[in-house]
Amino acid sequence: MSDPQKSRFLARQSRLEALRMVSASKSSHIGSSLSVIDILAVLYGGVANIDPSTVESDGRDFVIVSKGHAAAGTYAVLAVRGFFPTERLRDYCSDGQPLSGHVTAGQVPGIEFSTGSLGHGLGLGVGVALADQSMGRTRRVFVIMSDGECDEGSVWEAALIAAHYQLEQLTAIIDRNYMQALGPTEDVLGLEPLRQKWESFGWAAFDVDGHDHVALEEALRRPTLARPTLVIAHTTKGHGVTFMENQIEWHYRAPNDEDLLRALLEIEDHDA
Amino acid sequence: MRDTFVSELTRLGLADPAITLVTGDLGFNVLDEFRDALPRQFYNLGVAEQAMASACAGMAAVGCKVFMYSIVNFATFRCLEQIRNDIAYHSLDVCVVAIGAGTSYGSLGYTHHGLEDVAVMRSLPNFRVFTPADSVEVRAAIQEIYAGRGPVYLRLGHEPTTPIHRSPVATQNHLLQVREGSDIVLMAAGPAVETALGAAAIADQHGISVRVISCLQLAPMSTLELIAVADELPIVTLEDHSVVGGLGTVVLETLSEASALRPVRRLGYRRDGLLTYGSQAFLRDSQGLTAEGTAAALLAMLKADDRQPFT
């Protein structure tokens, strides 16, 4: 059972952790984590049938973080949710430690696949869903992608396959923050009209506010009959920290001590 | 060899519902036996190799033993990053089945020739590489693939006109002696083994005793096994593949690791040599990769000063 108040608290705490992690490790991609944290919090907060006690069970829902560079945000949500101790977050990007700079499977409970190169996650999810369909398993598979990721042809190959096989247990979520590595998505390689593209591929596609937990939960709660579902979650890169919002430099830059303090204060002051 | 592969896989698949065959819209009339017997274990995912490879990884992650089938370059290069990141890195039970090894597809041209695939696939973590020479070796390879875990590259070419093995081979050996000899060792992989035997017969007429080894499993290559089959004899390698990075290179690497280097000559396609067009026989002939050409190399090897570079 999901609860927007709980998932909002989860998101808030995860933002604080992610900021600390990226700052401490002097690493990149904080903007990408901040835009996707609400989606992750809603999923791991109850919509996805997986929790710390069911992380190994055969029937668990799969959450595949295809935008693997949102590693800090992903690890933060998992830790705050209780999949592993939050103390481990201090080892983010540390030598010999598995919490590396792109989402890494193997020693991180809750992570199903290592990602980091865009365009793989939807295909992975399609494979899981196809096998499930053949075996009569009805668990859900969620794939979180970035909008820039939709430049990759492999995404559209997977989209064709998913629709053809009517993979209704497959739900993809696009973190639509309208930014990619060298500029706004619509300046680099226009994706609009994005929803219509997915609909024409045979998906049930919906636009939602990607920072509204009630709207996200509503959109993600139920799969569509006989079609895979695509949720375009409209977000802001760097959401939650005013000086990071929609700023491309925060795809790359690690917050220094001063940035970190300002950012943490903003998150803490903001109503959950 | 494809037909044997399909029959064997069907046999395994009837007993094990985890066996899954995935094709990228190839295998007309070839995959029917499996598809008809096991429709729930068969997928044609279309001409979409990148998604196919990721999907195979996804299937394997939830318990399937996947065999991904396509023509050599489409099964490898087209989706190499997916094979690398999704299959190899996660060490999943996916066997990449590549048909059309070497220049099997002849006049269909370079896009359909497998010349660099072994070099690349053997460099990926966790991959075993099988290059069977005939249907007997295909059966042995499949048994070993099924019994083991992790990613595999299975490279299939044409069935030889004369059978190489008359009885099943033991699967624990990866380097199979298919002809006795004592002067020089000729190591060959897959479709080149038949040529190697032909070369050995010619060399025999010139009084040279050639030991022929079929490299059923080309990678990882066991140092102990290599020393056991090659003793201290000079070696010529022959492959339907580039001389860069394939069997010849593996042998050199392995000998070096064992501090057992000795004269080795690599026969295969020269990297910049494939500027002509034609059947497999014609292409092989254009680069001396025939029984006659190989025999000449064997003879030259035994006569030459081993400090002279080969032309």
Side-chain angles (χ1 to χ4, degrees), chain B:
Chain B
M1 283 200 260
R2 288 181 312 190
D3 297 334
T4 307
F5 161 72
V6 175
S7 289
E8 279 301 296
L9 200 66
T10 307
R11 192 181 59 82
L12 287 173
L14 284 164
D16 184 354
I19 298 267
T20 308
L21 177 59
V22 181
T23 179
D25 204 36
L26 283 167
F28 186 64
N29 284 347
V30 172
L31 305 180
D32 297 6
E33 185 188 346
F34 188 99
R35 183 201 63 198
D36 295 340
L38 301 160
R40 292 177 73 88
Q41 291 166 236
F42 174 81
Y43 295 93
N44 174 8
L45 295 184
V47 191
E49 292 78 11
Q50 289 181 60
M52 175 172 69
S54 292
C56 287
M59 292 174 185
V62 292
C64 298
K65 296 192 88 121
V66 186
F67 291 78
M68 185 177 97
Y69 177 100
S70 191
I71 288 176
V72 55
N73 298 317
F74 316 148
T76 55
F77 291 112
R78 195 55 177 263
C79 49
L80 189 59
E81 199 193 72
Q82 283 77 9
I83 294 174
R84 176 186 186 274
N85 294 357
D86 304 340
I87 296 171
Y89 185 53
H90 292 82
S91 199
L92 289 167
D93 289 347
V94 178
C95 176
V96 177
V97 184
I99 57 164
T103 50
S104 302
Y105 279 109
S107 58
L108 289 181
Y110 181 67
T111 58
H112 284 59
H113 295 162
L115 302 174
E116 310 94 355
D117 54 302
V118 173
V120 173
M121 294 304 285
R122 73 178 186 90
S123 70
L124 297 177
N126 303 313
F127 257 87
R128 292 178 288 161
V129 177
F130 287 88
T131 52
D134 68 358
S135 283
V136 173
E137 291 192 10
V138 169
R139 277 187 209 99
I142 291 173
Q143 271 179 49
E144 188 145 353
I145 291 164
Y146 183 65
R149 302 300 306 272
V152 176
Y153 182 52
L154 176 63
R155 185 183 205 248
L156 303 178
H158 286 315
E159 186 75 29
T161 45
T162 336
I164 288 160
H165 298 277
R166 305 217 172 255
S167 53
V169 299
T171 55
Q172 58 266 34
N173 298 324
H174 302 133
L175 304 177
L176 309 172
Q177 182 175 289
V178 294
R179 187 183 198 277
E180 284 183 345
S182 53
D183 291 331
I184 190 169
V185 179
L186 176 56
M187 299 186 68
V193 175
E194 184 177 26
T195 311
L197 288 168
I202 295 171
D204 189 53
Q205 291 164 7
H206 294 263
I208 306 295
S209 169
V210 182
R211 181 184 306 168
V212 180
I213 307 294
S214 173
C215 302
L216 169 57
Q217 182 175 317
L218 189 150
M221 182 172 287
S222 150
T223 354
L224 290 176
E225 229 189 304
L226 177 58
I227 303 305
V229 299
D231 295 316
E232 285 164 20
L233 298 174
I235 298 174
V236 172
T237 64
L238 178 66
E239 55 196 304
D240 221 29
H241 185 273
S242 167
V243 289
V244 176
L247 172 64
T249 310
V250 174
V251 168
L252 281 168
E253 289 170 6
T254 311
L255 291 173
S256 174
E257 290 283 292
S259 301
L261 282 168
R262 83 289 298 272
V264 175
R265 174 141 185 218
R266 291 165 294 133
L267 299 177
Y269 290 96
R270 296 276 130 196
R271 201 184 64 178
D272 302 321
L274 214 62
L275 298 174
T276 186
Y277 318 92
S279 66
Q280 179 170 46
F282 179 83
L283 294 170
R284 281 171 166 172
D285 186 61
S286 74
Q287 295 212 17
L289 303 175
T290 55
E292 292 76 17
T294 306
L298 290 163
L299 266 63
M301 187 81 167
L302 288 173
K303 286 181 185 160
D305 174 6
D306 66 2
R307 283 171 297 153
Q308 299 245 334
F310 293 115
T311 48

Side-chain angles (χ1 to χ4, degrees), chain A residues 10-56:
Chain A
L10 172 57
R12 179 180 177 276
Q13 294 307 109
S14 300
R15 286 196 161 83
L16 297 171
E17 294 289 358
L19 282 159
R20 290 189 199 107
M21 288 159 72
V22 172
S23 181
S25 58
K26 298 187 175 29
S27 58
S28 299
H29 307 132
I30 185 59
S32 310
S33 278
L34 291 173
S35 64
V36 80
I37 274 174
D38 292 299
I39 296 161
L40 289 163
V42 168
L43 281 174
Y44 283 115
V47 166
N49 181 23
I50 179 174
D51 63 50
S53 70
T54 60
V55 87
E56 300 270 311

